[in-house]
Amino acid sequence: QVQLVESGGGFVQAGGSLRLSCAAARVISGSIFSINAMGWYRQAPGKQRELVATMTSGGSTDYADSVKGRFTISRDNAKNTVDLQMNSLKPEDTAVYFCHAKGVRSSPFVPLGDFWGPGTQVTVSS
């Protein structure tokens, strides 16, 4: 019902920067009234998917300890978008990054659910 479109992944050398963007939209018709939380997760080969950063509609944020001070999440509630600015990238940041939207509603009384983007590859070389 809701599609998350990600952009901004790529290849960068250690110490470099990348910016990921994600936009949520209804697939067929209708609008999104609200999204409780939007954020980013990542999954490296052979590892479980892990939280990178999330932000609620009220502006509260949560970051993985490994990215604190290097990554910054931002969100536009009106546009249903979330960005992740990644600075001082390290080889261990290499992973597929997934956008996540939690608690999507088409109206105050109609929940649509939680949704994931298809993922975008981030590769950091040493």
Side-chain angles (χ1 to χ4, degrees):
Q1 301 183 48
V2 174
Q3 183 180 34
L4 302 182
V5 178
E6 302 148 337
S7 61
F11 181 92
V12 66
Q13 291 188 332
S17 298
L18 284 174
R19 187 177 183 88
L20 303 182
S21 296
C22 173
R26 297 289 295 276
V27 174
I28 299 177
S29 62
S31 61
I32 294 174
F33 174 78
S34 65
I35 303 176
N36 183 27
M38 294 189 76
W40 295 90
Y41 289 70
R42 67 186 180 187
Q43 187 166 16
K47 295 187 177 181
Q48 291 187 333
R49 190 173 297 188
E50 63 176 3
L51 168 73
V52 178
T54 63
M55 178 179 279
T56 67
S57 57
S60 297
T61 59
D62 188 17
Y63 290 92
D65 288 342
S66 60
V67 307
K68 287 179 180 177
R70 300 188 297 123
F71 292 9
T72 303
I73 190 170
S74 59
R75 180 176 167 180
D76 187 324
N77 291 335
K79 296 181 179 179
N80 298 315
T81 60
V82 63
D83 292 344
L84 184 69
Q85 178 65 41
M86 304 185 294
N87 298 328
S88 302
L89 283 161
K90 304 175 180 179
E92 50 263 45
D93 294 318
T94 296
V96 178
Y97 284 69
F98 297 90
C99 180
H100 182 243
K102 179 179 181 180
V104 183
R105 291 181 173 271
S106 60
S107 79
F109 310 105
V110 181
L112 297 179
D114 301 344
F115 299 89
W116 290 93
T120 184
Q121 178 70 46
V122 171
T123 302
V124 184
S125 67
S126 57

